[in-house]
Amino acid sequence: MTAMPEQTEAVAVQVRYFAGARAAAGVPEETVRLSGPTTVSDVISAVLDLRGEGLAKVLPACSFLLDGVAVRDRGTTVPASATLDVLPPFAGG
């Protein structure tokens, strides 16, 4: 019996950029399509490939929300049709 290769479905992730991340990306949001399974790290790599050096300078200081929940582990699996928010540090007062 021959094993069938696993079918991986594409995962579409809506990425939304805020404040300085939006300025660095040059767009307020975009949809990134990746082969599943996908992690937060995979999505970050994909947007870096799309948006380049300006965003690369901002991302290390950013925090991320996956469907509204803070992400501490970039190895977190991203479900299909998820939203990843990219949040640079905010000054308050």
Side-chain angles (χ1 to χ4, degrees):
M1 179 183 254
T2 304
M4 297 292 289
E6 281 190 40
Q7 296 265 334
T8 57
E9 291 187 29
V11 175
V13 181
Q14 185 71 25
V15 181
R16 299 187 302 185
Y17 303 100
F18 292 87
R22 177 181 290 188
V27 295
E29 62 184 53
E30 62 190 321
T31 300
V32 178
R33 288 180 176 73
L34 300 163
S35 297
T38 299
T39 65
V40 171
S41 183
D42 295 331
V43 177
I44 292 168
S45 292
V47 297
L48 284 172
D49 288 345
L50 289 169
R51 299 289 157 201
E53 189 176 318
L55 190 57
K57 292 178 182 177
V58 173
L59 280 182
C62 290
S63 58
F64 303 91
L65 298 178
L66 181 60
D67 289 336
V69 177
V71 173
R72 307 245 185 275
D73 177 6
R74 292 187 181 187
T76 301
T77 301
V78 176
S81 301
T83 299
L84 183 70
D85 294 328
V86 181
L87 307 165
F90 292 96

